[in-house]
Amino acid sequence: MTSERFITFEGGEGVGKSTQADLLADTLKARGLDVVQTREPGGTPGAEAIRSLLLDTNLNWDTRAEALLFAAARSDHVTNLIGPALDRGQWVVCDRFIDSSRAYQAGGGEWSDDAVLSLHTLGSHALMPDITFLLQAPTAEIAERLYARDGDNADRIGGKPAEYHQRVADHFRHLAATDPERFVLVDASGTPEDVHMRVMRAMANFVGEGG
Ligand code: TYD
């Protein structure tokens, strides 16, 4: 891919990815671009069905089954939504993608990064985003936002222990450090508009002011 039209938002829970994906999609649309906005796990009826299985706190998936389910959901999403949209020349803004599996299932869990990438090759032709915004905010600010959003009702993965989420955050940082061409680290503190300004400044570097 050299189109620079496939953009993902990544980061831990409650860091504001969905809000930033909304704001970016709106800004690109306001510039007259044809944008498909989507999310993972989910984005297609099949992948949304897998999402509800994955996040169900009554189901106790082991880490292997969990990684396979995320890869299966992504495969359906790439085959039926993301791939066709990119082929049609549309922009795709996606809330989480393969780097979430690398950070959560490899960094946080027991898989190696290579194993997660092999599943991605099998399931999704190893499709990679062109630009990935990694949102980062101080732990205390995130804890506050998360409590405001979920209270005591975190989903199955959000509810995992703090050490797990620390490993996930460390792995995200490691991924960004090893692929600085694709990753943009974004300070996610402050208002959504502050963060959006930072995202748009970085976009200008990738696609030019007019993009
Ligand atoms: P999401 O709805 O984006 O959660 P949040 O809004 O809290 O960030 O994602 C649901 C959960 O699934 C989240 O805890 C991250 C996890 N996840 C993985 O573990 N692996 C993956 O590949 C993806 C896409 C998400």
Side-chain angles (χ1 to χ4, degrees):
M1 286 271 330
T2 53
S3 62
E4 279 152 23
R5 284 183 283 104
F6 181 22
I7 301 168
T8 58
F9 282 89
E10 296 282 6
E13 328 279 304
V15 79
K17 294 176 303 300
S18 315
T19 307
Q20 291 308 317
D22 287 348
L23 291 171
L24 176 63
D26 289 349
T27 301
L28 295 178
K29 284 179 196 164
R31 292 181 179 184
L33 300 173
D34 191 358
V35 182
V36 171
Q37 192 183 347
T38 185
R39 68 155 180 192
E40 290 208 341
T44 55
E48 291 289 335
I50 297 175
R51 176 189 177 91
S52 44
L53 293 174
L54 272 163
L55 301 184
D56 187 340
T57 46
N58 295 314
L59 298 174
N60 194 17
W61 302 111
D62 84 352
T63 56
R64 278 164 304 180
E66 183 181 283
L68 290 164
L69 285 168
F70 276 113
R74 183 164 302 121
S75 174
D76 191 64
H77 193 201
V78 167
T79 301
N80 292 310
L81 192 133
I82 297 176
L86 293 173
D87 287 346
R88 283 192 296 266
Q90 292 174 297
W91 289 63
V92 175
V93 175
C94 190
D95 181 355
R96 294 194 184 280
F97 192 64
I98 179 61
D99 299 303
S100 280
S101 282
R102 300 172 79 189
Y104 284 80
Q105 278 66 56
E110 291 156 32
W111 284 67
S112 68
D113 199 54
D114 282 350
V116 169
L117 289 175
S118 306
L119 291 184
H120 190 50
T121 302
L122 288 172
S124 302
H125 311 290
L127 175 68
M128 293 306 272
D130 301 300
I131 307 173
T132 297
F133 291 106
L134 177 59
L135 268 46
Q136 298 185 294
T139 323
E141 193 173 327
I142 295 173
E144 241 170 64
R145 286 188 203 172
L146 269 180
Y147 198 77
R149 189 187 74 174
D150 299 338
D152 293 324
N153 297 315
D155 62 45
R156 198 181 59 79
I157 292 176
K160 289 192 184 194
E163 308 80 69
Y164 175 85
H165 289 287
Q166 189 55 53
R167 289 201 303 278
V168 169
D170 292 345
H171 203 75
F172 268 131
R173 269 193 294 276
H174 165 73
L175 293 176
T178 53
D179 195 353
E181 298 269 293
R182 173 166 68 89
F183 276 92
V184 180
L185 290 179
V186 180
D187 170 6
S189 58
T191 66
E193 290 70 29
D194 293 337
V195 182
H196 179 55
M197 293 275 286
R198 293 175 199 135
V199 168
M200 290 316 298
R201 244 178 267 136
M203 279 295 290
N205 290 336
F206 273 96
V207 293
E209 288 296 339

